Amino acid sequence: MADTPFSLSFLLLLLLLSLSPLSLQFQANIAAADLQALKAIRNSLTDIPLRRSSSGAGFFSTWDFSSSDPCSFAGVICDLGRVTILSLGTGRSDSPGLAGSLPPAISDLSELTQLILFPGIVTGPIPPQLGRLRNLRVLSLTNNRLTGAIPATLSALLHLHTLDISHNQLSGIIPATLTKLPELKILILSSNQFSGEIPTDISSPLLHLDLKSNKLNGTLPALPSSIRYLSLSENSLWGPLRNGLDSLSELVYLDLSVNRFNGPIPFSLFSHPSLSSLLLQRNSFSGVVPPPSSDSTIPVMFGAGSVVDLSHNNLTGEMPAIFAGAETLFLNNNRFTGPVPAEYVKSVSSGSTTTLYLQHNFISEFPLEPGTVLPDTAALCLSYNCMDPPATVQSCPASAGAPLSRPPWQCPQLKSP
């Protein structure tokens, strides 16, 4: 009988354990450090109130630490009790996203491979502690209100494949060490306030580089030959392109628009068989296109789905046939002369080219056969050239202005004898 009190106490303890909150069992399925990190994230971020037209609950509605398994929370994916993927926000078009700031405790999720923050109004800096996430492959923090510089510590993420911090209010220079990461293939820093020059020694095997809409200056540096998508538009980059693009044999998309580049457009750009989007508008390029070459047989490169925009430059000479197959073509606001090559007329008439803007040049003829009816999909503008355009087939934007033709004194072939 002396053992009875001990036996009863032991049985009572077992009973209490069996009736303990289910959350203790759930939380035992996740590492303690990860659990504390998730709690810190929950305390630093909050749902923006849903709009009336939105459906469903807020992102954090499933983050109930008292009764749920944290590995079942929205946006949380675990492997063997460790958080490996964290997506903050729903990403739905009708969701306003999250507010608050990113806590340094995210770095305690040491097995994290992907960290994604969907659009919202999250403010403050990118925590430099994220450089501790040595397994991180994807870091995407787009369309928020993050401020400050890119932490130098991100250069320690040797396995980083994708860095997208676009559409924020980040500033400072682009760290040169960032473009030396050995596995970085996608770098998107667009729509921020970065300044200074593009790093000159880029060794990362980049496929996609987007620095659009910043305050970058300087000349175009040598770039990795692996690049397929390159956008540097809406900066203050200057100087001639020279041959800095020669090695980009895999290039599919090139946008250098709205900068201060000058000089001729390199002939190498017209020998990339993979290039389907060439956007060089609103610079100060000059000379003939393409420039004279010993090879007089220049192939027609651009076809279905292609876009070429060389508008608002100082290009001269007659229009080259090389662009005749482009689906969308803007050559307006230059100094092109002579008749439009027959290849362009044929391409518009057949519907292969759906947009052809040639306004504000010095073109003398558009050899359209009488009675030819262009497809309804065709957008053709020939206004303000050295010719009387066939007004019945024109479809000009409002920016083309009212005069259909240039005054005769600007066009030698229209002057009276």
Side-chain angles (χ1 to χ4, degrees):
M1 297 296 294
D3 293 336
T4 300
F6 174 80
S7 300
L8 290 175
S9 299
F10 181 70
L11 291 174
L12 181 61
L13 178 61
L14 290 177
L15 180 62
L16 290 173
L17 288 174
S18 67
L19 296 176
S20 62
L22 191 58
S23 61
L24 293 179
Q25 297 180 28
F26 283 139
Q27 293 177 6
N29 293 332
I30 187 171
D34 288 17
L35 177 62
Q36 293 305 313
L38 293 178
K39 289 181 177 180
I41 292 167
R42 181 64 186 90
N43 289 333
S44 294
L45 296 171
T46 185
D47 286 302
I48 302 172
L50 294 173
R51 307 181 187 95
R52 289 184 178 180
S53 59
S54 301
S55 59
F59 171 74
F60 283 119
S61 62
T62 64
W63 284 46
D64 183 356
F65 291 95
S66 66
S67 61
S68 301
D69 175 8
C71 288
S72 69
F73 289 174
V76 177
I77 295 179
C78 297
D79 183 20
L80 300 177
R82 303 302 309 274
V83 178
T84 56
I85 298 176
L86 180 61
S87 301
L88 298 170
T90 66
R92 296 198 312 263
S93 59
D94 64 344
S95 172
L98 304 178
S101 61
L102 295 175
I106 292 178
S107 63
D108 292 330
L109 301 172
S110 58
E111 295 299 317
L112 206 61
T113 62
Q114 297 184 35
L115 174 59
I116 299 169
L117 174 64
F118 285 106
I121 56 172
V122 176
T123 61
I126 299 173
Q129 292 85 353
L130 296 186
R132 300 176 189 168
L133 297 172
R134 301 305 172 90
N135 296 314
L136 202 62
R137 296 275 294 160
V138 175
L139 177 58
S140 177
L141 311 173
T142 66
N143 286 273
N144 279 275
R145 298 180 185 177
L146 300 174
T147 56
I150 299 176
T153 54
L154 297 189
S155 301
L157 301 176
L158 299 181
H159 298 294
L160 195 64
H161 175 281
T162 299
L163 175 61
D164 185 353
I165 50 177
S166 59
H167 294 274
N168 281 288
Q169 298 170 14
L170 298 163
S171 57
I173 65 169
I174 300 173
T177 51
L178 190 66
T179 57
K180 298 181 188 297
L181 289 174
E183 297 183 19
L184 187 64
K185 294 188 176 182
I186 299 175
L187 178 59
I188 307 176
L189 309 179
S190 57
S191 299
N192 280 287
Q193 300 173 23
F194 294 118
S195 57
E197 298 187 1
I198 301 171
T200 57
D201 186 16
I202 301 176
S203 59
S204 297
L206 294 173
L207 300 176
H208 185 119
L209 176 61
D210 189 350
L211 306 180
K212 179 180 179 178
S213 298
N214 279 287
K215 299 179 179 180
L216 300 170
N217 54 46
T219 58
L220 185 68
L223 297 165
S225 60
S226 54
I227 287 183
R228 299 176 184 173
Y229 181 106
L230 176 62
S231 178
L232 306 176
S233 65
E234 298 178 35
N235 281 285
S236 296
L237 301 170
W238 55 272
L241 296 184
R242 296 190 179 92
N243 296 321
L245 301 172
D246 282 356
S247 63
L248 307 186
S249 58
E250 303 297 320
L251 200 59
V252 174
Y253 181 99
L254 176 64
D255 186 358
L256 304 180
S257 62
V258 196
N259 277 287
R260 292 184 289 148
F261 291 116
N262 57 27
I265 299 174
F267 179 75
S268 60
L269 283 182
F270 308 111
S271 58
H272 286 289
S274 59
L275 189 62
S276 62
S277 294
L278 177 61
L279 309 176
L280 304 180
Q281 69 270 25
R282 297 187 183 275
N283 280 281
S284 297
F285 291 116
S286 59
V288 296
V289 180
S293 170
S294 58
D295 182 7
S296 59
T297 58
I298 301 171
V300 176
M301 293 170 33
F302 299 92
S306 61
V307 179
V308 176
D309 193 343
L310 306 184
S311 64
H312 295 273
N313 281 289
N314 296 308
L315 302 172
T316 57
E318 295 189 359
M319 291 173 53
I322 191 172
F323 302 128
E327 183 171 314
T328 302
L329 178 61
F330 302 99
L331 299 179
N332 53 287
N333 295 83
N334 279 286
R335 303 183 66 82
F336 289 115
T337 58
V340 175
E343 292 91 338
Y344 288 89
V345 181
K346 179 179 179 182
S347 189
V348 174
S349 300
S350 67
S352 298
T353 295
T354 58
T355 300
L356 178 60
Y357 281 2
L358 302 177
Q359 67 270 22
H360 288 261
N361 280 286
F362 294 83
I363 295 168
S364 59
E365 181 185 4
F366 188 78
L368 186 68
E369 293 292 333
T372 301
V373 178
L374 299 183
D376 293 339
T377 55
L380 172 66
C381 187
L382 301 166
S383 292
Y384 211 65
N385 278 286
C386 294
M387 55 179 283
D388 292 323
T392 56
V393 299
Q394 281 214 112
S395 177
C396 290
S399 59
L404 291 179
S405 303
R406 285 185 176 274
W409 64 267
Q410 294 183 2
C411 305
Q413 74 273 25
L414 295 182
K415 290 183 178 179
S416 301

